Amino acid sequence: MGQQVERAFAAEWDRLNQPAPDASADNPPEKPSPAAKRKQLLPAKDDAAAKKKPKKKRMSTGQRRASAAADAKGGSGAMDPSSMDPDALLALLDQPPRPGDWQALCRRVLLRLQAHPAALEFNAPVDPERQGVPTYREIVKQPMDLGTVRKQLDRHQYAGPEGVRDDILRVCSNCFLFNPPDTFVHNQGRELERLFARVWEQHTGYPPDHEPVAVPPDLPMDDARLERARAVVAQLKRAECAYPFLLPVDPVALGVPTYFDVVRNPMDLASVHKKLARRAYASVADFVADLQLILDDCFLFNLPDTPVNECGKALQTMVAELLKPDAWDRWLAASGQE
């Protein structure tokens, strides 16, 4: 009896200590998905690596243009446009000419010419069909106009100031070649020729036929002169006669739809103020040229004895008085209507 009990106890002990049956034989595990397999193959990331990298700040279009301009001026890495304030960006994009640059001088001369009534016939290329002069190209072999001169200057197609001077004189000589003396266009050409001689000598110190062309050094717009220019504009804006010139002309709101057909280079005191704020003037002469342009545009579009024309005359007197103490008035026209 005792032996039977021992055998039963041993059998029960063996049964209890047997390993659990393998369930995989009846229920095989699911195959891992392709995504799970890729995840298993990737190395484990620690906490530092798992952190997301900071996204690079996207630059605006103006900042990208500024970056490209910086690269062109001195190589990449010279400045970070994303860290620049808007005024600094605008100053870079303006790309003002360097002091003493002959291109700046020629631009100032062209601004004066294009804003004169005598230039209305010469601001754009002659259209023989539209203007009823079918033989023009047969007589004039090298056509030229002030608008084309300005475009070529802006596109750096001139090697020096002599080319600009010669093309402006060609505008006049073409006029005399095609239009008989004492005709309206011929007389306008003579007036333009006289105006060019005065303006060219005013800015260079020599007549147009002087060789080589003299390009005197400009007066740089340093911090002290910049503050002086800002004070001048502030005084002008407070003047009662300045109200027609405070803001850009809106041809629709003011009922003058042909304004931009006549005025090729519009300017106003608000625009001058903004250019001063972003240091867009490389020289005092460029600043004075814009003040003169406001006056020239006024006299070009508004007939004598009209209210706006009279305001222009009053503003011209005030500008001259404000610029005279620093001798900046030497870049002004001798009179409001040359």
Side-chain angles (χ1 to χ4, degrees):
M1 182 68 180
Q3 294 177 351
Q4 292 179 348
V5 171
E6 289 177 2
R7 287 196 294 270
F9 180 83
E12 183 65 20
W13 177 262
D14 293 336
R15 186 184 67 79
L16 292 173
N17 286 281
Q18 286 180 355
D22 190 3
S24 62
D26 298 330
N27 300 308
E30 296 181 358
K31 293 182 178 180
S33 64
K37 288 182 179 180
R38 288 194 297 269
K39 187 175 181 181
Q40 292 173 358
L41 294 175
L42 292 175
K45 296 181 179 179
D46 56 16
D47 293 340
K51 292 181 180 179
K52 292 184 178 180
K53 294 182 180 180
K55 292 184 178 180
K56 187 177 180 181
K57 186 178 179 181
R58 296 182 64 184
M59 293 191 296
S60 65
T61 301
Q63 289 169 336
R64 288 195 296 271
R65 289 173 56 201
S67 179
D71 291 346
K73 292 183 74 174
S76 59
M79 62 180 68
D80 179 13
S82 62
S83 64
M84 297 172 65
D85 62 88
D87 288 341
L89 280 172
L90 287 171
L92 176 62
L93 295 176
D94 270 324
Q95 296 286 315
R98 296 183 300 276
D101 190 348
W102 62 267
Q103 292 180 336
L105 182 148
C106 292
R107 286 191 186 97
R108 294 195 292 267
V109 170
L110 280 167
L111 285 177
R112 289 283 302 283
L113 297 183
Q114 289 189 293
H116 193 275
L120 292 177
E121 298 291 333
F122 312 106
N123 274 328
V126 172
D127 185 333
E129 183 177 352
R130 185 176 62 84
Q131 294 178 243
V133 286
T135 61
Y136 185 81
R137 296 292 171 82
E138 299 174 8
I139 298 173
V140 177
K141 302 299 183 181
Q142 292 182 304
M144 185 54 62
D145 62 276
L146 297 178
T148 299
V149 176
R150 178 60 188 269
K151 287 180 182 177
Q152 293 181 166
L153 178 63
D154 291 342
R155 295 170 182 172
H156 307 286
Q157 294 178 356
Y158 290 108
E162 295 83 2
V164 179
R165 175 202 60 189
D166 294 345
D167 273 353
I168 293 175
L169 292 176
R170 182 174 291 111
V171 173
C172 299
S173 62
N174 287 344
C175 168
F176 308 145
L177 176 63
F178 187 80
N179 300 279
D182 296 327
T183 59
F184 174 77
V185 177
H186 185 102
N187 292 339
Q188 293 294 91
R190 290 295 180 190
E191 178 61 26
L192 182 68
E193 184 182 47
R194 289 190 291 268
L195 172 65
F196 172 62
R198 291 195 299 270
V199 175
W200 187 262
E201 185 168 357
Q202 179 185 20
H203 285 274
T204 67
Y206 296 94
D209 58 358
H210 182 271
E211 296 290 352
V213 174
V215 183
D218 287 338
L219 197 62
M221 183 66 82
D222 58 19
D223 290 343
R225 297 185 184 108
L226 180 63
E227 289 304 314
R228 173 62 182 146
R230 286 173 174 167
V232 168
V233 172
Q235 288 183 265
L236 293 175
K237 291 171 70 175
R238 290 194 295 267
E240 184 178 353
C241 61
Y243 77 90
F245 317 109
L246 293 175
L247 297 172
V249 171
D250 185 336
V252 177
L254 297 177
V256 286
T258 62
Y259 185 80
F260 292 129
D261 295 332
V262 177
V263 176
R264 296 303 178 109
N265 301 290
M267 186 53 61
D268 58 274
L269 291 173
S271 298
V272 174
H273 177 85
K274 290 179 181 178
K275 292 177 74 172
L276 286 170
R278 60 179 187 257
R279 296 176 176 267
Y281 293 113
S283 68
V284 174
D286 291 333
F287 163 68
V288 177
D290 273 356
L291 295 182
Q292 180 65 55
L293 185 59
I294 295 174
L295 302 171
D296 289 342
D297 288 346
C298 168
F299 301 135
L300 175 63
F301 190 80
N302 300 279
L303 297 175
D305 300 324
T306 59
V308 177
N309 188 288
E310 293 299 317
C311 285
K313 290 180 180 179
L315 188 70
Q316 182 205 14
T317 300
M318 187 174 180
V319 168
E321 292 174 352
L322 290 173
L323 298 184
K324 188 173 182 179
D326 300 290
W328 292 2
D329 59 336
R330 64 180 181 269
W331 289 293
L332 289 174
S335 60
Q337 294 168 296
E338 289 190 282

